Amino acid sequence: MDIKMNRDGDKLEMVIAGKIDTITSPELESKVSELEGVTDLVINLLDVDYISSSGLRVLIIMQNVMDDQGSMTIRYVSDSVMEIFEATGLADLFDID
C-alpha cells in the first residue's frame, strides 16, 4: 500500500494505492494523528482494489475523528470496494462521492 498526503491549509487529500488489509492498515492508522487541524478530509481510493475489515475499522476511526472537526469524503471507489462497503452496511456511514 502507498499513501500520498496532499495538504492545503485545513484540507487534506489522502491518495491510497494498493490493498488495505491486516498487514497494511496499521500504516493507514498511523496517519490518524495527522488529521489534527483538518476540517476537510478526502480519501481517494482510485487505486485500491481491496479493503479488509481492519481497513474498514481505520476508515471508521477517521470518520469519527472528522465528525468532531469537519467532514470526510471517500472518492473514486472501485466497484469491488463499493461491494464491500455495501455488504458491511458502511456505504450509508460514509460520504462516498
Side-chain angles (χ1 to χ4, degrees):
M1 179 182 68
D2 182 51
I3 303 170
K4 294 200 182 342
M5 310 271 284
N6 303 316
R7 188 161 186 167
D8 182 15
D10 60 357
K11 297 179 182 182
L12 175 65
E13 179 184 29
M14 287 185 174
V15 181
I16 304 170
K19 295 183 185 318
I20 306 173
D21 57 21
T22 305
I23 295 169
T24 60
S25 62
E27 180 183 353
L28 182 58
E29 188 169 4
S30 73
K31 303 298 183 186
V32 171
S33 63
E34 298 184 38
L35 299 179
E36 187 171 329
V38 173
T39 60
D40 184 12
L41 174 63
V42 173
I43 299 178
N44 180 327
L45 298 181
L46 179 66
D47 293 320
V48 172
D49 57 2
Y50 176 77
I51 186 166
S52 72
S53 59
S54 59
L56 293 172
R57 183 186 62 80
V58 175
L59 291 181
I60 291 169
I61 291 169
M62 290 180 168
Q63 181 67 61
N64 289 336
V65 168
M66 293 311 298
D67 282 346
D68 292 338
Q69 65 192 43
S71 65
M72 179 174 114
T73 304
I74 300 175
R75 291 198 176 138
Y76 310 117
V77 178
S78 69
D79 290 341
S80 59
V81 171
M82 191 63 182
E83 285 179 17
I84 295 168
F85 284 140
E86 289 171 350
T88 58
L90 294 175
D92 295 331
L93 174 69
F94 299 122
D95 177 13
I96 301 174
D97 192 14

